[in-house]
């Protein structure tokens, strides 16, 4: 019975998002536009830098093969970044249903109904989580189709499963933060403005628009404290694993390691690489903190309502 109430709330919130055809259309369209722009402009620039770096090692190399491998590497690096951007922006878009409910006084009606606030909160969080996972998987599918059209190989099934797990983790973290933010924003216009700002910043915070090597050291140190960078890094690790091995084949192992560090595939703190296990724990800790703060804020609201 308890799960049925949550399921109904989740279904209701998902339907609100799906029935807004304009919102869904622009969510998909913006995803495709960003993916295309990243690949066409930043992709060409970064792939040329990789080819130039390969030439610096000297020796006999197949320039055509290097160029093709570099393009595939940067395209997969870009795809991982887009997955991270969508994990943030799509979740925030769906959470807008809560702000809309409050603006139209529907949320107050929910609170007076015989349903615990925890279930209402889980309804919003889980609906954002589910839609976020679905849209990110759609992004991955479209990205893989594009790679196939370009003559590049598909990701291995094991890598797709790992990516799915990372998408599930990332979207849950951002759904928790989105709910926390929604507790403090009470108008649809304010939420829309915030979504625009976050959508613009997330590309920089995740070191997507500018690789880690191009950021000032202090800025990089700040980004390493944020979940977005680690979420993007773990997905880059899976997406670029085979591409890095192919691109830097025949070169010292340090060549691939330098690329991973400069492009944010690996994250280093004080010269030590942050492990995947630590990144997972860090993201989980961020979600727990967001949920804990949300519960505290909700408890304060409940006390004021009495």
């Amino acid at each position: 019975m308890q799960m049925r109430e949550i399921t109904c709330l989740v279904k209701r919130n998902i339907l609100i998002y799906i029935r807004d055809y304009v919102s869904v259309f622009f969510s998909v369209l913006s995803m495709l536009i960003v993916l295309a722009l990243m690949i066409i402009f930043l992709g060409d620039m970064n792939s040329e830098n990789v080819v130039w770096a390969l030439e610096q090692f000297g020796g006999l190399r197949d320039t055509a093969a290097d160029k093709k491998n570099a393009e595939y590497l940067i395209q997969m690096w870009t795809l991982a970044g887009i997955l991270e951007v969508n994990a943030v922006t799509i979740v925030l878009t769906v959470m807008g249903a809560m702000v809309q409910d409050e603006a139209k006084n529907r949320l107050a009606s929910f609170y007076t109904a015989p349903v615990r606030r925890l279930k209402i909160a889980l309804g919003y969080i889980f609906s954002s989580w589910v839609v976020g996972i679905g849209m990110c998987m759609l992004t991955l599918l479209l990205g893989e189709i594009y790679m196939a059209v370009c003559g590049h190989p598909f990701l291995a099934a094991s890598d797709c499963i790992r990516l799915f797990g990372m998408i599930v983790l990332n979207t849950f973290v951002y759904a928790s933060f989105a709910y926390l933010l929604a507790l403090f924003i009470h108008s649809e216009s304010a939420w829309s403005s915030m979504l625009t700002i976050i959508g613009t910043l997330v590309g920089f915070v995740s070191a997507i628009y500018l690789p880690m090597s191009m950021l000032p050291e202090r800025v990089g140190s700040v980004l390493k404290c944020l979940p977005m960078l680690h979420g993007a890094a773990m997905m880059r690790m899976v997406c670029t694993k085979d591409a890095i091995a192919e691109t830097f084949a025949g070169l010292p192992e340090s060549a691939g390691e330098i690329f991973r560090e400069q492009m944010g595939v690996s994250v280093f703190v004080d010269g030590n690489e942050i492990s995947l296990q630590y990144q997972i724990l860090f993201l989980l800790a961020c979600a727990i903190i967001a949920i804990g703060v949300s519960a505290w804020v909700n408890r304060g609201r409940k006390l004021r309502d009495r």
Side-chain angles (χ1 to χ4, degrees), residues 111-292:
Y111 287 157
T112 57
V115 181
R116 295 178 59 189
R117 290 197 179 193
L118 174 61
K119 295 177 183 178
I120 297 173
L122 291 177
Y124 288 116
I125 293 173
F126 286 170
S127 58
S128 299
W129 188 19
V130 170
V131 175
I133 292 171
M135 294 299 285
C136 285
M137 292 305 296
L138 175 61
T139 304
L140 178 59
L141 175 62
L142 293 175
E144 284 290 85
I145 292 174
Y146 175 82
M147 299 301 167
V149 171
C150 293
H152 302 307
F154 287 110
L155 283 172
S158 58
D159 289 334
C160 290
I161 293 172
R162 293 179 69 191
L163 268 179
F164 175 75
M166 292 174 180
I167 288 171
V168 168
L169 174 60
N170 275 270
T171 48
F172 177 70
V173 173
Y174 304 132
S176 303
F177 273 105
Y179 177 76
L180 176 59
L181 289 173
L183 290 174
F184 295 96
I185 297 179
H186 311 294
S187 72
E188 295 180 69
S189 59
W191 184 261
S192 178
S193 299
M194 187 206 66
L195 182 58
T196 301
I197 294 172
I198 292 179
T200 303
L201 290 177
V202 67
F204 292 99
V205 173
S206 305
I208 297 170
Y209 301 148
L210 290 175
M212 289 294 291
S213 60
M214 298 180 65
L215 296 173
E217 185 176 351
R218 290 185 178 179
V219 174
S221 298
V222 172
L223 297 187
K224 292 172 185 177
C225 299
L226 302 177
M228 282 76 77
L229 178 63
H230 294 280
M234 62 169 60
M235 287 195 274
R236 287 174 184 146
M237 178 183 66
V238 176
C239 287
T240 63
K241 179 186 64 175
D242 294 337
I244 289 176
E246 186 70 23
T247 302
F248 295 95
L251 297 179
E253 187 177 345
S254 59
E257 292 176 353
I258 291 172
F259 175 85
R260 283 191 287 268
E261 181 176 2
Q262 291 185 343
M263 299 298 287
V265 178
S266 300
V267 180
F268 287 80
V269 176
D270 295 330
N272 298 314
E273 183 178 355
I274 302 300
S275 66
L276 175 61
Q277 291 78 6
Y278 176 87
Q279 290 174 325
I280 292 174
L281 290 175
F282 176 68
L283 289 176
L284 287 174
C286 289
I288 292 171
I289 291 172
I291 292 171

Side-chain angles (χ1 to χ4, degrees), residues 36-52 67 70-71 74-75 78 146:
L37 291 176
M38 291 281 291
I39 291 175
I40 293 173
F41 294 103
L42 291 180
D44 286 345
M45 179 184 69
N46 288 327
S47 61
E48 288 174 1
N49 290 337
V50 172
V51 173
W52 177 85
K67 184 176 181 180
E71 288 176 350
I74 295 303
Q75 287 170 359
T78 301
Y146 175 82

Side-chain angles (χ1 to χ4, degrees), residues 76-86 206 208 232 235-236:
M76 292 303 294
W77 180 86
T78 301
L79 177 60
I82 298 301
L83 289 174
E84 182 66 13
V85 170
N86 281 356
S206 305
I208 297 170
M235 287 195 274
R236 287 174 184 146

